[in-house]
Amino acid sequence: MYTIQKIKTVTDNCYIVSSGDSAILVDTGSGAGYEEVLAECKKYNMKLIVLTHVHFDHAENAAKIAKHFDIPVAFHKADEELFDNYDKQPLKSYGLVGRIVLGLSLKVLRETKIQRPEKTIYVKEGDDLSAYGINAKIVEIPGHTKGSIGVDVEEKDLIVGDALDNWIFPATGHLFYNLEEIKKTAQKIKSIGPRTIYYGHGKPTKNRA
């Protein structure tokens, strides 16, 4: 039996997945939400942090929280370059919602330096997280960034970061590094089967077209 706790910060949603005496944190929020996220994590026996991608609103607190609990941070190797420079994978957008969000985010995306965690693990498609006490696997869902990943918990719940978003309604992520890749990712998620989808931005919904 497991639970998923959503932590809604000023910039995004973070998720604590817990089972028995173990828990992992999926995404960490921006610096503005550090104390809030840390306080919730202290209620659990944290074993691992997973970053769905390396943008400030999902990864800025990773190094500090990982150091506090002395745990590793897992992410896809293709996103490692984003610790150095956001512009190595510049974002584009589609639609009015995308243009507004990108316009509001661009300056801070470029100016925020994300501290590289001391202990890191590269993860890829199919990697099993059971060694950290959680029955879950990594799903590669690129397009928002080169190395965007999701966490598929017991084939029932899927945490997708920004591959999809639910700003107003569930949709393919409005911000993307590669439009064709994020469209393929949306199809991959649609075909993955019955899941509750947990977004980086917005309320959870059931998986659908």
Side-chain angles (χ1 to χ4, degrees), residues 95-124:
L96 178 60
V97 171
R99 289 195 295 273
I100 291 172
V101 173
L102 184 58
L104 293 171
S105 306
L106 198 53
K107 186 174 186 290
V108 67
L109 277 165
R110 285 179 168 154
E111 293 181 354
T112 303
K113 174 69 175 176
I114 304 171
Q115 183 181 353
R116 189 184 299 266
E118 294 177 1
K119 297 180 180 180
T120 61
I121 298 170
Y122 297 137
V123 288
K124 62 184 185 307

Side-chain angles (χ1 to χ4, degrees), residues 13-52:
N13 299 322
C14 310
Y15 297 97
I16 296 174
V17 185
S18 62
S19 179
D21 189 39
S22 300
I24 65 172
L25 174 65
V26 183
D27 290 336
T28 69
S30 66
Y34 171 71
E35 294 295 342
E36 176 186 3
V37 177
L38 181 64
E40 292 303 315
C41 288
K42 285 180 177 178
K43 300 175 183 178
Y44 299 87
N45 181 16
M46 303 303 300
K47 298 291 184 69
L48 178 71
I49 293 171
V50 178
L51 300 178
T52 60

Side-chain angles (χ1 to χ4, degrees), residues 64-157:
K64 289 173 69 176
I65 294 175
K67 186 172 183 178
H68 180 91
F69 294 104
D70 191 26
I71 57 176
V73 177
F75 55 89
H76 195 283
K77 192 176 191 308
D79 265 16
E80 186 169 30
E81 63 187 3
L82 292 174
F83 284 108
D84 299 319
N85 189 341
Y86 153 78
D87 282 316
K88 291 186 176 179
Q89 295 183 36
L91 291 176
K92 302 182 180 108
S93 64
Y94 73 86
L96 178 60
V97 171
R99 289 195 295 273
I100 291 172
V101 173
L102 184 58
L104 293 171
S105 306
L106 198 53
K107 186 174 186 290
V108 67
L109 277 165
R110 285 179 168 154
E111 293 181 354
T112 303
K113 174 69 175 176
I114 304 171
Q115 183 181 353
R116 189 184 299 266
E118 294 177 1
K119 297 180 180 180
T120 61
I121 298 170
Y122 297 137
V123 288
K124 62 184 185 307
E125 178 81 21
D127 282 353
D128 194 332
L129 301 182
S130 59
Y132 303 95
I134 304 298
N135 181 14
K137 292 186 177 180
I138 298 297
V139 180
E140 293 184 8
I141 46 175
H144 180 69
T145 64
K146 292 179 183 178
S148 289
I149 56 173
V151 179
D152 190 12
V153 186
E154 294 194 5
E155 299 183 345
K156 296 177 182 177
D157 297 293

